[in-house]
């Protein structure tokens, strides 16, 4: 291999041009590695499992206009009307849904005197049909019993909803609160003195807003509380995926019948909710992808430009090399090896720079530490880009005839 | 060593055909020092290019060291050129980016020689031309004569069967030219086969035999007995 003389030649005679390409590749490598890492993060977020049967669920959100005489009675009528729609398998009402715009949360204590909460979690208020309708799977304990439900009256204050005796929690929360032990039968406190007992553990239920600084995405507590539609919650309908659109139309019509005393705020499938929720992540992913693409194109053009210039500048030298016995392949390889050396130097520099940029982003925007997996991805991309970019100039160099060596200067 | 029979070379463009060589017959025996002379445009460079496998010929037969070169692929011609021919160019053609060591190394690397063997040959070749102490220098740090000596070392390092020299002293002053010529004569005396293209009659007179090319055809011009390197007896004859 001819690496040593090519390297010596680069170091001795082409320092400036070579350094510029190395810096360009290093910057591209650093930015691409960070961008790829950020895109990976966004993709991972977009694929977050909500824990509910999204493909079969739709929701309708209502808001009351003026005073509502009997919101619980109206809610029961609504639920009955929704169940009567052909194609509806089950219906429930809840204060919030995954990917929704609002989130009810509470800190949790294992001891009423505990100064710092043991965890923070989202509070889902649900009726007897909640578990089955949204598709939650119990992994330990049991569902709520009929006598454990209470009706939530907002006019009595928000603390009223916490007067329950039992709760169901997610597995992630159970592992956080009672690591290594069964959570069923254990006691929790919502910061008050009244204890609530854990009667069941479900596989998972995403907090409406997903991960946050104070709690992971699947720290949720389910309370046996029937809510009226007036608190801004949603009716959730479970249907076959093919029936969702029609059922949603029928449901909206059924809920609109009572007239001017309320309005439909939202009506959408859970897939639409998810798409809307991750819209910014997708947009950021595309933006980063476009920036990466543009950067790679500019870098490729830089490599093509320099390699073409060097081929033109060294036409006679290439002719001499051919006259001295170089085959066309050996000439092409010369330029490919030269590019490999420059690209590798740029990649090594770029990896250090990638960590520096990441450290700065971590400090400024609380981003996670760059995963090392992003680095080989950046390196392979840059190596491939370098070799592809130099291919054209290398082929042109290989086509220079050996007779150039005997031409008069 | 070098046998060309009825070699023709025609350059064709859309409008014109140029006959650079016309059924040229030319033979060089092993160990000979032959000068090829002729006026500008006579076909000297075309002959050199074809003899050195730098260009293909249009028709005829060419055998180099007993091997027919007709119809060889580009890669095969490159390998043959690398193994059997050493080039000495008028403008030296050293690679300015490389040290003398790396310059002499170029044809050896293309042959795929082992590192130790290459180092030995490079050292020997530079020693032979008196530049062993300058192997780390770059061409721009040497005089014209030294550059041509380095180019000769590059040509010798691969132990070629044939040395092809294209106006080897054309870019040198008379003192440096004398030194280079003496080196070529030494090489010839040690058994090298040399074909030198030149339009300098004085230089040609130092060769063992002269071949004159005019209008793409060769005529032999026999030299007088060597001792005095004296004038030439112009007795043209078809070789």
């Amino acid at each position: 291999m001819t690496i040593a003389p090519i390297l010596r030649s680069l170091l001795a005679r082409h320092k400036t041009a070579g350094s510029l390409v190395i810096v360009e590749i290093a910057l591209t490598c650093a930015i691409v590695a960070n961008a790829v890492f950020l895109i990976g993060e966004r993709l991972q977020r977009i694929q977050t499992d909500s824990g509910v049967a999204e493909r079969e669920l739709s929701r309708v959100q209502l808001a009351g206009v003026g005073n509502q005489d009997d919101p619980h009675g109206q809610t029961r009528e609504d639920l009955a009307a929704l169940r009567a729609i052909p194609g509806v398998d089950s219906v429930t009402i809840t204060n919030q849904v995954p990917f929704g715009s609002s989130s009810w949360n509470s800190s949790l204590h294992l001891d009423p005197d505990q100064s710092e909460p043991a965890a923070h979690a989202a509070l889902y208020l649900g009726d007897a049909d909640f578990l089955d309708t949204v598709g939650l799977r119990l992994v330990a304990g049991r569902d709520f019993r009929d006598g454990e439900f209470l009706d939530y009256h907002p006019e009595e204050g928000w603390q009223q909803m916490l007067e329950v005796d039992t709760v169901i929690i997610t597995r992630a929360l159970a592992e956080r609160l009672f690591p290594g032990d069964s959570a069923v039968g254990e006691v929790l406190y919502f910061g008050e003195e009244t204890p609530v007992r854990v009667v069941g553990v479900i596989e998972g239920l995403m907090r409406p807003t997903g991960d946050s600084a104070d709690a992971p995405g699947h720290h949720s507590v389910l309370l046996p509380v029937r809510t009226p539609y007036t608190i801004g919650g949603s009716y959730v309908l479970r249907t076959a995926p093919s029936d969702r659109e029609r059922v949603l139309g029928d449901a909206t019509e059924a809920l609109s019948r009572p007239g001017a005393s309320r309005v439909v705020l939202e009506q959408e499938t859970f897939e639409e909710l998810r798409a809307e929720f991750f819209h910014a992540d997708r947009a950021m992913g595309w933006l980063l992808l476009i920036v990466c693409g543009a950067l790679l194109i500019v870098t490729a053009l830089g490599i093509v430009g320099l390699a073409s210039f060097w081929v033109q500048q060294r036409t006679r030298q290439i002719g001499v090399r051919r006259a001295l016995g170089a085959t066309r392949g050996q000439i092409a390889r010369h330029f490919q090896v030269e590019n490999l050396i420059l690209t590798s130097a740029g990649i090594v520099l770029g990896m250090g720079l990638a960590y520096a940029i990441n450290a700065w982003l971590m400090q400024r925007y609380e981003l996670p530490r760059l995963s090392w997996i992003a680095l080989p991805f950046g390196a392979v991309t840059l190596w491939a880009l370098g070799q592809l970019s130099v291919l054209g100039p290398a082929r042109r160099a290989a086509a220079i005839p050996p007779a150039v060596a005997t031409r008069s200067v | 060593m070098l046998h060309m029979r009825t070699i023709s070379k025609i350059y064709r463009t859309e409008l014109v055909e140029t006959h650079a060589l016309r059924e040229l017959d030319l033979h060089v025996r092993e160990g000979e020092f032959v000068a090829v002379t002729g006026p500008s445009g006579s076909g000297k460079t075309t002959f050199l290019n074809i003899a050195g496998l730098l260009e293909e010929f249009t028709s005829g037969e060419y055998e180099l060291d007993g091997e027919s070169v007709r119809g060889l692929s580009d890669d095969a011609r490159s390998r043959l050129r690398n193994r059997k021919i050493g080039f000495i160019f008028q403008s030296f053609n050293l690679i300015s980016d490389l040290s003398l060591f790396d310059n002499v190394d170029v044809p050896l690397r293309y042959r795929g020689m082992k590192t130790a063997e290459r180092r030995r040959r490079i050292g020997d070749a530079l020693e032979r031309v008196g530049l062993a102490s300058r192997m780390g220098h770059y061409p721009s740090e040497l005089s014209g004569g030294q550059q041509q000596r380095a180019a000769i070392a590059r040509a010798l390092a691969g132990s070629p069967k044939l040395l092809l020299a294209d106006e080897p002293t054309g870019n040198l002053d008379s003192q440096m030219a004398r030194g280079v010529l003496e080196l070529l004569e030494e090489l010839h005396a040690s058994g090298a086969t040399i074909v030198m293209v030149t339009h300098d009659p004085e230089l040609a007179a130092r060769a063992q035999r002269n071949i004159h090319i005019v209008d793409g055809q060769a005529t032999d011009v026999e030299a007088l007995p060597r001792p005095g390197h004296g004038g030439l007896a112009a007795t043209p004859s078809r070789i």
Side-chain angles (χ1 to χ4, degrees), chain B residues 23-55:
Chain B
E23 299 195 339
L24 176 134
D25 282 336
L26 199 151
H27 303 272
V28 176
R29 287 181 294 278
E30 194 163 348
E32 268 195 304
F33 182 5
V34 175
V36 177
T37 59
S40 292
S42 59
K44 292 195 303 292
T45 302
T46 304
F47 156 73
L48 183 87
N49 285 347
I50 289 171
L53 308 180
L54 303 180
E55 272 187 65

mmCIF file of all heavy atoms in Angstrom, chain B residues 23-55:
data_model
loop_
_atom_site.group_PDB
_atom_site.id
_atom_site.type_symbol
_atom_site.label_atom_id
_atom_site.label_comp_id
_atom_site.label_asym_id
_atom_site.label_seq_id
_atom_site.Cartn_x
_atom_site.Cartn_y
_atom_site.Cartn_z
ATOM 1 N N GLU B 23 6.007 2.609 -41.605
ATOM 2 C CA GLU B 23 6.655 1.297 -41.757
ATOM 3 C C GLU B 23 8.099 1.336 -41.258
ATOM 4 O O GLU B 23 9.030 0.955 -41.975
ATOM 5 C CB GLU B 23 6.574 0.851 -43.209
ATOM 6 C CG GLU B 23 5.132 0.715 -43.658
ATOM 7 C CD GLU B 23 4.995 -0.063 -44.946
ATOM 8 O OE1 GLU B 23 6.007 -0.146 -45.681
ATOM 9 O OE2 GLU B 23 3.918 -0.582 -45.189
ATOM 10 N N LEU B 24 8.250 1.788 -40.053
ATOM 11 C CA LEU B 24 9.593 1.931 -39.474
ATOM 12 C C LEU B 24 10.133 0.559 -39.056
ATOM 13 O O LEU B 24 9.434 -0.222 -38.402
ATOM 14 C CB LEU B 24 9.502 2.871 -38.268
ATOM 15 C CG LEU B 24 10.762 3.084 -37.459
ATOM 16 C CD1 LEU B 24 10.937 4.576 -37.197
ATOM 17 C CD2 LEU B 24 10.699 2.346 -36.140
ATOM 18 N N ASP B 25 11.361 0.281 -39.474
ATOM 19 C CA ASP B 25 12.067 -0.930 -39.028
ATOM 20 C C ASP B 25 13.212 -0.480 -38.144
ATOM 21 O O ASP B 25 14.013 0.373 -38.558
ATOM 22 C CB ASP B 25 12.639 -1.697 -40.221
ATOM 23 C CG ASP B 25 11.559 -2.488 -40.946
ATOM 24 O OD1 ASP B 25 10.540 -2.799 -40.311
ATOM 25 O OD2 ASP B 25 11.730 -2.756 -42.148
ATOM 26 N N LEU B 26 13.324 -1.049 -36.967
ATOM 27 C CA LEU B 26 14.389 -0.612 -36.074
ATOM 28 C C LEU B 26 14.700 -1.747 -35.098
ATOM 29 O O LEU B 26 13.790 -2.354 -34.539
ATOM 30 C CB LEU B 26 13.924 0.639 -35.326
ATOM 31 C CG LEU B 26 14.979 1.510 -34.679
ATOM 32 C CD1 LEU B 26 14.508 2.946 -34.618
ATOM 33 C CD2 LEU B 26 15.302 1.021 -33.282
ATOM 34 N N HIS B 27 15.989 -2.028 -34.946
ATOM 35 C CA HIS B 27 16.396 -3.133 -34.073
ATOM 36 C C HIS B 27 17.522 -2.665 -33.159
ATOM 37 O O HIS B 27 18.469 -2.021 -33.627
ATOM 38 C CB HIS B 27 16.877 -4.327 -34.899
ATOM 39 C CG HIS B 27 15.832 -4.791 -35.874
ATOM 40 N ND1 HIS B 27 14.877 -5.711 -35.555
ATOM 41 C CD2 HIS B 27 15.594 -4.399 -37.153
ATOM 42 C CE1 HIS B 27 14.075 -5.888 -36.613
ATOM 43 N NE2 HIS B 27 14.494 -5.100 -37.592
ATOM 44 N N VAL B 28 17.434 -2.993 -31.916
ATOM 45 C CA VAL B 28 18.495 -2.664 -30.960
ATOM 46 C C VAL B 28 18.879 -3.957 -30.247
ATOM 47 O O VAL B 28 18.009 -4.662 -29.715
ATOM 48 C CB VAL B 28 18.015 -1.604 -29.930
ATOM 49 C CG1 VAL B 28 19.100 -1.355 -28.880
ATOM 50 C CG2 VAL B 28 17.625 -0.308 -30.617
ATOM 51 N N ARG B 29 20.171 -4.253 -30.287
ATOM 52 C CA ARG B 29 20.635 -5.489 -29.641
ATOM 53 C C ARG B 29 20.923 -5.235 -28.152
ATOM 54 O O ARG B 29 21.149 -4.096 -27.738
ATOM 55 C CB ARG B 29 21.891 -5.997 -30.351
ATOM 56 C CG ARG B 29 21.607 -6.595 -31.722
ATOM 57 C CD ARG B 29 22.882 -7.100 -32.361
ATOM 58 N NE ARG B 29 23.814 -6.023 -32.668
ATOM 59 C CZ ARG B 29 23.756 -5.253 -33.760
ATOM 60 N NH1 ARG B 29 22.809 -5.439 -34.671
ATOM 61 N NH2 ARG B 29 24.647 -4.296 -33.953
ATOM 62 N N GLU B 30 20.932 -6.298 -27.396
ATOM 63 C CA GLU B 30 21.194 -6.191 -25.961
ATOM 64 C C GLU B 30 22.585 -5.594 -25.732
ATOM 65 O O GLU B 30 23.542 -5.969 -26.391
ATOM 66 C CB GLU B 30 21.101 -7.572 -25.302
ATOM 67 C CG GLU B 30 21.028 -7.473 -23.808
ATOM 68 C CD GLU B 30 20.521 -8.763 -23.168
ATOM 69 O OE1 GLU B 30 20.023 -9.630 -23.890
ATOM 70 O OE2 GLU B 30 20.635 -8.851 -21.940
ATOM 71 N N GLY B 31 22.687 -4.639 -24.844
ATOM 72 C CA GLY B 31 23.980 -4.047 -24.511
ATOM 73 C C GLY B 31 24.376 -2.888 -25.406
ATOM 74 O O GLY B 31 25.412 -2.257 -25.185
ATOM 75 N N GLU B 32 23.563 -2.559 -26.407
ATOM 76 C CA GLU B 32 23.895 -1.454 -27.315
ATOM 77 C C GLU B 32 23.563 -0.103 -26.691
ATOM 78 O O GLU B 32 22.665 0.013 -25.862
ATOM 79 C CB GLU B 32 23.083 -1.594 -28.612
ATOM 80 C CG GLU B 32 23.805 -2.369 -29.708
ATOM 81 C CD GLU B 32 23.126 -2.159 -31.052
ATOM 82 O OE1 GLU B 32 21.911 -2.424 -31.143
ATOM 83 O OE2 GLU B 32 23.795 -1.719 -31.995
ATOM 84 N N PHE B 33 24.283 0.918 -27.149
ATOM 85 C CA PHE B 33 23.975 2.311 -26.794
ATOM 86 C C PHE B 33 23.664 2.999 -28.120
ATOM 87 O O PHE B 33 24.562 3.265 -28.911
ATOM 88 C CB PHE B 33 25.176 2.952 -26.094
ATOM 89 C CG PHE B 33 24.947 4.365 -25.633
ATOM 90 C CD1 PHE B 33 23.719 5.006 -25.741
ATOM 91 C CD2 PHE B 33 25.997 5.087 -25.053
ATOM 92 C CE1 PHE B 33 23.534 6.305 -25.297
ATOM 93 C CE2 PHE B 33 25.815 6.394 -24.609
ATOM 94 C CZ PHE B 33 24.572 7.000 -24.736
ATOM 95 N N VAL B 34 22.377 3.238 -28.348
ATOM 96 C CA VAL B 34 21.920 3.745 -29.639
ATOM 97 C C VAL B 34 21.360 5.157 -29.461
ATOM 98 O O VAL B 34 20.591 5.402 -28.525
ATOM 99 C CB VAL B 34 20.828 2.820 -30.219
ATOM 100 C CG1 VAL B 34 20.242 3.389 -31.502
ATOM 101 C CG2 VAL B 34 21.385 1.435 -30.470
ATOM 102 N N ALA B 35 21.768 6.047 -30.363
ATOM 103 C CA ALA B 35 21.178 7.392 -30.353
ATOM 104 C C ALA B 35 20.194 7.491 -31.511
ATOM 105 O O ALA B 35 20.488 7.060 -32.632
ATOM 106 C CB ALA B 35 22.264 8.434 -30.503
ATOM 107 N N VAL B 36 19.019 8.013 -31.239
ATOM 108 C CA VAL B 36 18.014 8.223 -32.298
ATOM 109 C C VAL B 36 17.941 9.722 -32.530
ATOM 110 O O VAL B 36 17.621 10.490 -31.613
ATOM 111 C CB VAL B 36 16.643 7.663 -31.873
ATOM 112 C CG1 VAL B 36 15.597 7.950 -32.934
ATOM 113 C CG2 VAL B 36 16.745 6.163 -31.628
ATOM 114 N N THR B 37 18.268 10.138 -33.739
ATOM 115 C CA THR B 37 18.297 11.564 -34.046
ATOM 116 C C THR B 37 17.292 11.878 -35.144
ATOM 117 O O THR B 37 16.723 10.970 -35.759
ATOM 118 C CB THR B 37 19.700 11.989 -34.510
ATOM 119 O OG1 THR B 37 20.029 11.218 -35.679
ATOM 120 C CG2 THR B 37 20.739 11.770 -33.432
ATOM 121 N N GLY B 38 17.118 13.145 -35.370
ATOM 122 C CA GLY B 38 16.212 13.567 -36.439
ATOM 123 C C GLY B 38 15.711 14.958 -36.169
ATOM 124 O O GLY B 38 15.737 15.415 -35.018
ATOM 125 N N PRO B 39 15.268 15.631 -37.210
ATOM 126 C CA PRO B 39 14.780 16.988 -37.023
ATOM 127 C C PRO B 39 13.442 17.001 -36.260
ATOM 128 O O PRO B 39 12.809 15.957 -36.102
ATOM 129 C CB PRO B 39 14.590 17.495 -38.457
ATOM 130 C CG PRO B 39 14.424 16.253 -39.267
ATOM 131 C CD PRO B 39 15.198 15.162 -38.602
ATOM 132 N N SER B 40 13.022 18.184 -35.828
ATOM 133 C CA SER B 40 11.734 18.300 -35.138
ATOM 134 C C SER B 40 10.615 17.808 -36.050
ATOM 135 O O SER B 40 10.604 18.098 -37.240
ATOM 136 C CB SER B 40 11.471 19.763 -34.779
ATOM 137 O OG SER B 40 12.375 20.164 -33.809
ATOM 138 N N GLY B 41 9.683 17.067 -35.476
ATOM 139 C CA GLY B 41 8.548 16.583 -36.245
ATOM 140 C C GLY B 41 8.858 15.362 -37.083
ATOM 141 O O GLY B 41 8.017 14.915 -37.874
ATOM 142 N N SER B 42 10.038 14.789 -36.915
ATOM 143 C CA SER B 42 10.403 13.638 -37.743
ATOM 144 C C SER B 42 9.770 12.344 -37.231
ATOM 145 O O SER B 42 9.687 11.358 -37.961
ATOM 146 C CB SER B 42 11.921 13.483 -37.754
ATOM 147 O OG SER B 42 12.396 13.301 -36.428
ATOM 148 N N GLY B 43 9.349 12.326 -35.968
ATOM 149 C CA GLY B 43 8.735 11.120 -35.406
ATOM 150 C C GLY B 43 9.554 10.528 -34.264
ATOM 151 O O GLY B 43 9.254 9.428 -33.793
ATOM 152 N N LYS B 44 10.566 11.248 -33.798
ATOM 153 C CA LYS B 44 11.420 10.742 -32.709
ATOM 154 C C LYS B 44 10.610 10.449 -31.441
ATOM 155 O O LYS B 44 10.728 9.396 -30.842
ATOM 156 C CB LYS B 44 12.490 11.793 -32.329
ATOM 157 C CG LYS B 44 13.545 12.064 -33.363
ATOM 158 C CD LYS B 44 14.709 12.816 -32.753
ATOM 159 C CE LYS B 44 14.341 14.132 -32.079
ATOM 160 N NZ LYS B 44 13.891 15.168 -33.012
ATOM 161 N N THR B 45 9.805 11.446 -31.057
ATOM 162 C CA THR B 45 9.046 11.280 -29.809
ATOM 163 C C THR B 45 8.004 10.169 -29.947
ATOM 164 O O THR B 45 7.778 9.391 -29.010
ATOM 165 C CB THR B 45 8.385 12.612 -29.412
ATOM 166 O OG1 THR B 45 9.411 13.589 -29.275
ATOM 167 C CG2 THR B 45 7.637 12.498 -28.107
ATOM 168 N N THR B 46 7.396 10.089 -31.128
ATOM 169 C CA THR B 46 6.419 9.011 -31.348
ATOM 170 C C THR B 46 7.121 7.661 -31.228
ATOM 171 O O THR B 46 6.595 6.724 -30.603
ATOM 172 C CB THR B 46 5.769 9.150 -32.743
ATOM 173 O OG1 THR B 46 5.203 10.445 -32.833
ATOM 174 C CG2 THR B 46 4.699 8.101 -32.966
ATOM 175 N N PHE B 47 8.320 7.580 -31.825
ATOM 176 C CA PHE B 47 9.088 6.328 -31.714
ATOM 177 C C PHE B 47 9.342 6.010 -30.237
ATOM 178 O O PHE B 47 9.146 4.887 -29.783
ATOM 179 C CB PHE B 47 10.422 6.452 -32.477
ATOM 180 C CG PHE B 47 11.465 5.512 -31.965
ATOM 181 C CD1 PHE B 47 11.384 4.144 -32.233
ATOM 182 C CD2 PHE B 47 12.517 5.962 -31.164
ATOM 183 C CE1 PHE B 47 12.330 3.260 -31.723
ATOM 184 C CE2 PHE B 47 13.451 5.081 -30.641
ATOM 185 C CZ PHE B 47 13.353 3.724 -30.924
ATOM 186 N N LEU B 48 9.797 7.030 -29.487
ATOM 187 C CA LEU B 48 10.107 6.828 -28.067
ATOM 188 C C LEU B 48 8.863 6.360 -27.305
ATOM 189 O O LEU B 48 8.930 5.440 -26.493
ATOM 190 C CB LEU B 48 10.632 8.135 -27.467
ATOM 191 C CG LEU B 48 11.046 8.031 -26.010
ATOM 192 C CD1 LEU B 48 12.502 7.583 -25.915
ATOM 193 C CD2 LEU B 48 10.883 9.358 -25.297
ATOM 194 N N ASN B 49 7.743 7.007 -27.598
ATOM 195 C CA ASN B 49 6.496 6.635 -26.902
ATOM 196 C C ASN B 49 6.093 5.199 -27.195
ATOM 197 O O ASN B 49 5.636 4.474 -26.314
ATOM 198 C CB ASN B 49 5.357 7.581 -27.299
ATOM 199 C CG ASN B 49 5.490 8.943 -26.635
ATOM 200 O OD1 ASN B 49 6.278 9.108 -25.714
ATOM 201 N ND2 ASN B 49 4.753 9.924 -27.123
ATOM 202 N N ILE B 50 6.261 4.807 -28.462
ATOM 203 C CA ILE B 50 5.872 3.435 -28.812
ATOM 204 C C ILE B 50 6.884 2.449 -28.222
ATOM 205 O O ILE B 50 6.498 1.424 -27.641
ATOM 206 C CB ILE B 50 5.750 3.294 -30.344
ATOM 207 C CG1 ILE B 50 4.504 4.064 -30.805
ATOM 208 C CG2 ILE B 50 5.654 1.828 -30.745
ATOM 209 C CD1 ILE B 50 4.363 4.192 -32.294
ATOM 210 N N ALA B 51 8.179 2.786 -28.329
ATOM 211 C CA ALA B 51 9.214 1.901 -27.771
ATOM 212 C C ALA B 51 9.010 1.740 -26.265
ATOM 213 O O ALA B 51 9.199 0.659 -25.717
ATOM 214 C CB ALA B 51 10.587 2.486 -28.052
ATOM 215 N N GLY B 52 8.583 2.816 -25.609
ATOM 216 C CA GLY B 52 8.383 2.777 -24.161
ATOM 217 C C GLY B 52 6.995 2.332 -23.752
ATOM 218 O O GLY B 52 6.634 2.422 -22.573
ATOM 219 N N LEU B 53 6.205 1.853 -24.704
ATOM 220 C CA LEU B 53 4.832 1.369 -24.441
ATOM 221 C C LEU B 53 3.944 2.467 -23.847
ATOM 222 O O LEU B 53 3.004 2.196 -23.116
ATOM 223 C CB LEU B 53 4.841 0.163 -23.489
ATOM 224 C CG LEU B 53 5.750 -1.011 -23.859
ATOM 225 C CD1 LEU B 53 5.649 -2.104 -22.816
ATOM 226 C CD2 LEU B 53 5.378 -1.577 -25.229
ATOM 227 N N LEU B 54 4.264 3.698 -24.178
ATOM 228 C CA LEU B 54 3.426 4.803 -23.697
ATOM 229 C C LEU B 54 2.275 5.053 -24.648
ATOM 230 O O LEU B 54 1.275 5.665 -24.277
ATOM 231 C CB LEU B 54 4.260 6.090 -23.556
ATOM 232 C CG LEU B 54 5.492 6.018 -22.653
ATOM 233 C CD1 LEU B 54 6.210 7.360 -22.608
ATOM 234 C CD2 LEU B 54 5.098 5.601 -21.241
ATOM 235 N N GLU B 55 2.438 4.613 -25.877
ATOM 236 C CA GLU B 55 1.396 4.761 -26.900
ATOM 237 C C GLU B 55 1.296 3.464 -27.678
ATOM 238 O O GLU B 55 2.272 2.723 -27.778
ATOM 239 C CB GLU B 55 1.791 5.868 -27.897
ATOM 240 C CG GLU B 55 1.370 7.250 -27.509
ATOM 241 C CD GLU B 55 1.642 8.239 -28.633
ATOM 242 O OE1 GLU B 55 1.012 8.112 -29.703
ATOM 243 O OE2 GLU B 55 2.511 9.103 -28.431
#
